[in-house]
Amino acid sequence: MHGEYKAPGGKLVVVDLNVEDGVLSDVRVAGDFFLEPDEAILAINSALEGAPSSASSTELATRITAALPESTVMFGLTSEGIGIAVRRALAHATEWSDYDWQLVHAGPQAPALHMALDEVLTAEVAAGRRAPTLRVWEWASPAVVIGSFQSLRNEVDPDGAARHGMTVVRRISGGGAMFVEPMSTITYSLSVPESLVSGLSFADSYAYLDDWVLGALGDMGIKAWYQPLNDIATEAGKIAGAAQKRVVGPDGGPGAVLHHVTMSYDIDADKMLEVLRIGREKMSDKGTKSAKKRVDPLRRQTGLAREQVIENMIASFRDRYGLTTGEVTGEELVRAQELVRTKFATEEWTARVP
């Protein structure tokens, strides 16, 4: 069995192993990390040898840490990361490079249609009818997108939304509200097979699926990092938030994961505060007193046009994993439009949590 894991900001850890009578055997840990002294790698392999195949990544990490020489120094490597790589091997996880990725980047579309496309394309990946897909959104109109479980009245000021022409829609993933203006927002979705995140905890899957965009931002001179559970931040503040939804495959089999990210290219914070009801408790939890201080847009940090930022992000993904330009099929579009009519544009769905 073979498993790989690269933590954000870390190095690649590769684990090859067998399982005999319910325990790990022939364990070999490798990677491009740095480790001193040399014999520490032997201690890691020995610590994993004979471990129960049912052991969690945390339990495996505990075994590794206990076996390391006192003088051990790790660079780009942690005991937890090795444990995760083992779990991914045991779960027969796939890697980014195992797939022929497809890019979907169409013209501006209505907010409700974006919600529907996320559901349809991810279901198609789960069914094996669509390749793993990176979809970059373009917005036809300003919008507030609330999370699947958020209260409509608690999150949105209807008078403020109407005054600023904001369409309010609800997405299928959890998380918080998104304030969207077409030329001030960069949004993308990843629709990926569930096997890509096999062996990862829910929290670790966020970091894993965000790693490529951290590299893309780094190429543009922005030092960014994953901030649990679902934010991307820099020293200047939050620049993006992510949300996920698991989709079950046909007949209850392996499915797919929808992971989408909204990034702030620019922002009118005063308008946002007129539209979103951001409670004091939430602001306090983020360690700030003002929403204006919570977001630091990419426009200021990069000095690049929005279109150039998107182009750079796509190029970075293509350089890492390959990317073929594709499109939403006619059948997929028809299904999405039907979902708009029956679900995403209805009051019943949008106000399902009043």
Side-chain angles (χ1 to χ4, degrees):
M1 300 177 188
H2 177 89
E4 299 183 5
Y5 178 66
K6 180 183 178 297
K11 296 293 186 178
L12 181 67
V13 181
V14 180
V15 176
D16 292 283
L17 55 84
N18 292 316
V19 174
E20 297 180 5
D21 299 323
V23 299
L24 309 188
S25 65
D26 302 321
V27 182
R28 299 178 303 281
V29 176
D32 59 356
F33 48 79
F34 301 92
L35 179 65
E36 294 289 348
D38 281 354
E39 54 266 28
I41 191 68
L42 301 178
I44 291 171
N45 291 339
S46 295
L48 293 171
E49 199 76 21
S53 60
S54 60
S56 68
S57 58
T58 300
E59 292 168 335
L60 295 169
T62 299
R63 291 175 67 107
I64 294 167
T65 300
L68 290 172
E70 290 186 8
S71 59
T72 298
V73 179
M74 294 177 167
F75 295 97
L77 175 70
T78 65
S79 297
E80 292 75 14
I82 299 170
I84 291 172
V86 171
R87 292 308 317 168
R88 285 179 58 75
L90 293 168
H92 301 284
T94 53
E95 307 299 330
W96 295 84
S97 57
D98 291 337
Y99 300 105
D100 295 323
W101 291 87
Q102 185 171 115
L103 170 69
V104 172
H105 187 194
Q109 292 166 317
L113 184 59
H114 280 306
M115 305 303 107
L117 285 170
D118 261 0
E119 180 169 324
V120 169
L121 298 189
T122 306
E124 287 297 284
V125 172
R129 293 188 292 264
R130 163 171 282 277
T133 299
L134 167 65
R135 183 170 74 92
V136 179
W137 304 20
E138 296 293 347
W139 296 88
S141 61
V144 173
V145 184
I146 59 175
S148 181
F149 310 107
Q150 286 188 299
S151 163
L152 177 61
R153 70 167 65 100
N154 288 348
E155 296 298 324
V156 182
D157 183 319
D159 294 334
R163 185 165 58 253
H164 294 293
M166 311 289 287
T167 300
V168 181
V169 292
R170 185 184 295 272
R171 61 181 185 268
I172 60 173
S173 62
M178 298 158 48
F179 175 80
V180 174
E181 293 189 284
M183 299 311 296
S184 298
T185 307
I186 296 173
T187 308
Y188 68 85
S189 300
L190 287 170
S191 296
V192 306
E194 188 178 26
S195 58
L196 185 63
V197 297
S198 293
L200 299 178
S201 68
F202 187 76
D204 286 334
S205 71
Y206 273 84
Y208 186 69
L209 295 176
D210 280 341
D211 188 54
W212 76 273
V213 81
L214 300 184
L217 291 169
D219 293 341
M220 289 182 273
I222 301 175
K223 183 179 180 181
W225 57 84
Y226 163 72
Q227 184 170 296
L229 170 63
N230 62 333
D231 288 349
I232 297 173
T234 70
E235 291 181 354
K238 173 182 172 179
I239 58 173
Q244 286 188 7
K245 174 67 176 179
R246 267 40 177 193
V247 175
V248 178
D251 302 320
V257 177
L258 168 66
H259 179 94
H260 50 195
V261 173
T262 293
M263 313 182 78
S264 175
Y265 173 73
D266 203 353
I267 190 166
D268 185 332
D270 290 328
K271 184 186 297 184
M272 180 181 72
L273 288 174
E274 292 179 22
V275 174
L276 298 183
R277 289 174 168 158
I278 301 176
R280 292 182 180 179
E281 183 176 344
K282 182 173 182 179
M283 299 305 299
S284 175
D285 181 58
K286 299 295 183 180
T288 60
K289 295 181 180 179
S290 170
K292 292 183 180 181
K293 296 180 180 179
R294 286 193 56 217
V295 181
D296 193 53
L298 290 171
R299 179 178 182 178
R300 189 198 64 79
Q301 293 195 54
T302 65
L304 300 174
R306 175 181 175 276
E307 294 76 11
Q308 187 63 56
V309 173
I310 292 173
E311 185 177 321
N312 289 357
M313 288 170 57
I314 291 172
S316 181
F317 191 103
R318 182 178 287 114
D319 289 345
R320 283 168 171 251
Y321 309 122
L323 194 61
T324 301
T325 300
E327 61 184 7
V328 175
T329 68
E331 182 179 347
E332 290 168 339
L333 182 58
V334 168
R335 287 171 55 197
Q337 290 170 334
E338 179 64 11
L339 274 176
V340 170
R341 187 184 69 81
T342 60
K343 181 177 180 178
F344 291 105
T346 68
E347 183 68 17
E348 180 181 7
W349 169 256
T350 304
R352 78 184 188 109
V353 183

Coordinates of all heavy atoms in Angstrom, one line a residue, residues 112 146 150-153 156 158 167-170 339-354:
A112 N -28.0 31.9 -8.4 CA -28.7 30.6 -8.2 C -28.2 29.5 -9.1 O -28.1 28.3 -8.7 CB -30.2 30.8 -8.4
I146 N -25.7 32.4 1.6 CA -25.6 31.9 3.0 C -25.4 30.4 3.0 O -25.7 29.7 2.0 CB -26.9 32.3 3.7 CG1 -28.2 31.7 3.1 CG2 -27.0 33.8 3.9 CD1 -29.4 31.9 3.9
Q150 N -27.5 28.2 7.9 CA -27.6 29.5 8.5 C -29.0 30.0 8.5 O -29.8 29.7 7.6 CB -26.7 30.5 7.8 CG -25.2 30.4 8.1 CD -24.4 31.5 7.5 OE1 -24.4 31.7 6.3 NE2 -23.7 32.2 8.3
S151 N -29.4 30.8 9.5 CA -30.7 31.4 9.6 C -30.7 32.6 8.7 O -29.8 33.5 8.8 CB -31.0 31.9 11.0 OG -32.0 32.8 11.1
L152 N -31.7 32.7 7.8 CA -31.8 33.8 6.8 C -31.9 35.1 7.5 O -31.2 36.1 7.2 CB -33.0 33.5 5.9 CG -33.3 34.6 4.9 CD1 -32.1 34.8 3.9 CD2 -34.5 34.2 4.1
R153 N -32.8 35.2 8.5 CA -33.1 36.5 9.2 C -31.9 36.9 10.0 O -31.7 38.1 10.2 CB -34.4 36.4 10.0 CG -34.3 35.5 11.2 CD -35.5 35.8 12.1 NE -36.8 35.4 11.5 CZ -37.4 34.3 11.8 NH1 -36.9 33.4 12.6 NH2 -38.6 34.0 11.2
V156 N -29.0 38.1 7.1 CA -29.2 39.1 6.1 C -30.2 40.1 6.5 O -31.3 39.8 7.0 CB -29.7 38.4 4.8 CG1 -29.8 39.4 3.6 CG2 -28.7 37.3 4.3
P158 N -32.8 42.3 5.0 CA -33.5 42.3 3.8 C -33.6 43.7 3.1 O -33.5 43.9 1.9 CB -34.9 41.8 4.1 CG -35.0 42.0 5.6 CD -33.6 41.9 6.1
T167 N -29.0 39.7 -4.7 CA -29.8 38.5 -4.7 C -29.3 37.6 -3.5 O -28.1 37.5 -3.3 CB -29.6 37.7 -6.0 OG1 -30.0 38.5 -7.1 CG2 -30.3 36.4 -6.0
V168 N -30.2 37.1 -2.8 CA -29.9 36.2 -1.7 C -30.2 34.7 -2.1 O -31.3 34.4 -2.5 CB -30.7 36.5 -0.4 CG1 -30.3 35.6 0.8 CG2 -30.5 38.0 0.0
V169 N -29.1 33.9 -2.0 CA -29.3 32.5 -2.3 C -28.6 31.6 -1.2 O -27.8 32.1 -0.4 CB -28.6 32.1 -3.6 CG1 -29.4 32.7 -4.8 CG2 -27.2 32.5 -3.7
R170 N -29.1 30.4 -1.1 CA -28.5 29.5 -0.1 C -27.8 28.3 -0.8 O -28.3 27.8 -1.8 CB -29.6 28.9 0.8 CG -29.1 28.0 1.9 CD -30.3 27.3 2.7 NE -31.1 28.3 3.4 CZ -30.8 28.7 4.6 NH1 -29.8 28.3 5.3 NH2 -31.7 29.6 5.2
L339 N -32.8 22.6 -11.4 CA -32.5 22.8 -9.9 C -32.8 24.2 -9.5 O -33.2 24.5 -8.4 CB -31.1 22.3 -9.6 CG -31.0 20.8 -9.3 CD1 -29.5 20.5 -9.0 CD2 -31.8 20.4 -8.1
V340 N -32.4 25.2 -10.4 CA -32.7 26.6 -10.1 C -34.2 26.8 -9.9 O -34.6 27.4 -9.0 CB -32.1 27.5 -11.2 CG1 -32.6 28.9 -11.0 CG2 -30.6 27.5 -11.2
R341 N -34.9 26.2 -10.8 CA -36.4 26.4 -10.8 C -37.0 25.7 -9.6 O -37.9 26.3 -9.0 CB -37.0 25.8 -12.1 CG -38.5 26.1 -12.3 CD -39.0 25.4 -13.5 NE -39.1 24.0 -13.4 CZ -40.0 23.3 -12.7 NH1 -41.1 24.0 -12.2 NH2 -40.0 22.0 -12.7
T342 N -36.6 24.5 -9.3 CA -37.3 23.8 -8.3 C -36.7 23.9 -6.9 O -37.3 23.5 -5.9 CB -37.3 22.3 -8.6 OG1 -35.9 21.8 -8.7 CG2 -38.0 22.0 -9.9
K343 N -35.5 24.5 -6.8 CA -34.8 24.5 -5.5 C -34.1 25.9 -5.2 O -34.6 26.6 -4.3 CB -33.7 23.4 -5.4 CG -33.0 23.3 -4.1 CD -32.0 22.1 -4.2 CE -31.2 21.9 -2.9 NZ -30.3 20.7 -2.9
F344 N -33.1 26.2 -5.9 CA -32.2 27.3 -5.5 C -32.8 28.7 -5.6 O -32.4 29.6 -5.0 CB -30.9 27.2 -6.2 CG -30.0 26.0 -5.8 CD1 -29.9 24.9 -6.6 CD2 -29.4 26.0 -4.5 CE1 -29.2 23.8 -6.1 CE2 -28.7 25.0 -4.1 CZ -28.6 23.8 -4.9
A345 N -33.8 28.8 -6.5 CA -34.5 30.1 -6.7 C -35.8 30.2 -5.9 O -36.5 31.2 -6.0 CB -34.7 30.5 -8.1
T346 N -36.1 29.2 -5.1 CA -37.4 29.1 -4.4 C -37.2 29.7 -3.0 O -36.2 29.6 -2.3 CB -37.9 27.7 -4.3 OG1 -37.1 26.9 -3.4 CG2 -38.0 27.1 -5.7
E347 N -38.3 30.3 -2.5 CA -38.3 30.8 -1.1 C -38.2 29.6 -0.1 O -37.6 29.7 1.0 CB -39.6 31.5 -0.9 CG -39.8 32.2 0.5 CD -38.8 33.3 0.8 OE1 -38.2 33.8 -0.2 OE2 -38.6 33.6 1.9
E348 N -38.8 28.5 -0.5 CA -38.8 27.3 0.4 C -37.3 26.9 0.7 O -37.0 26.6 1.9 CB -39.5 26.2 -0.3 CG -39.5 24.9 0.6 CD -40.2 23.7 -0.1 OE1 -40.6 23.9 -1.3 OE2 -40.4 22.7 0.5
W349 N -36.4 26.9 -0.3 CA -35.0 26.5 0.0 C -34.3 27.7 0.6 O -33.6 27.5 1.6 CB -34.4 26.1 -1.3 CG -32.9 26.0 -1.2 CD1 -31.9 26.9 -1.6 CD2 -32.2 24.9 -0.6 NE1 -30.7 26.4 -1.3 CE2 -30.8 25.2 -0.7 CE3 -32.6 23.7 0.1 CZ2 -29.8 24.4 -0.1 CZ3 -31.6 22.9 0.6 CH2 -30.2 23.2 0.5
T350 N -34.4 28.9 0.1 CA -33.6 30.0 0.7 C -34.0 30.3 2.1 O -33.1 30.6 2.9 CB -33.9 31.3 -0.2 OG1 -33.6 31.0 -1.5 CG2 -33.0 32.4 0.3
A351 N -35.2 30.1 2.5 CA -35.7 30.3 3.9 C -35.9 29.0 4.6 O -36.6 29.0 5.6 CB -36.9 31.2 3.9
R352 N -35.2 28.0 4.3 CA -35.5 26.7 4.9 C -35.0 26.7 6.4 O -35.6 26.0 7.2 CB -34.8 25.6 4.2 CG -33.3 25.4 4.4 CD -32.7 24.3 3.6 NE -31.3 24.0 3.9 CZ -30.9 22.9 4.5 NH1 -31.8 22.0 4.9 NH2 -29.6 22.8 4.8
V353 N -34.1 27.6 6.7 CA -33.8 28.0 8.1 C -34.2 29.4 8.2 O -33.4 30.3 7.7 CB -32.3 27.7 8.5 CG1 -32.1 28.1 10.0 CG2 -31.9 26.3 8.2
P354 N -35.4 29.7 8.7 CA -35.9 31.1 8.6 C -34.9 32.2 9.3 O -34.2 31.8 10.2 CB -37.2 31.1 9.3 CG -37.6 29.6 9.3 CD -36.3 28.9 9.3

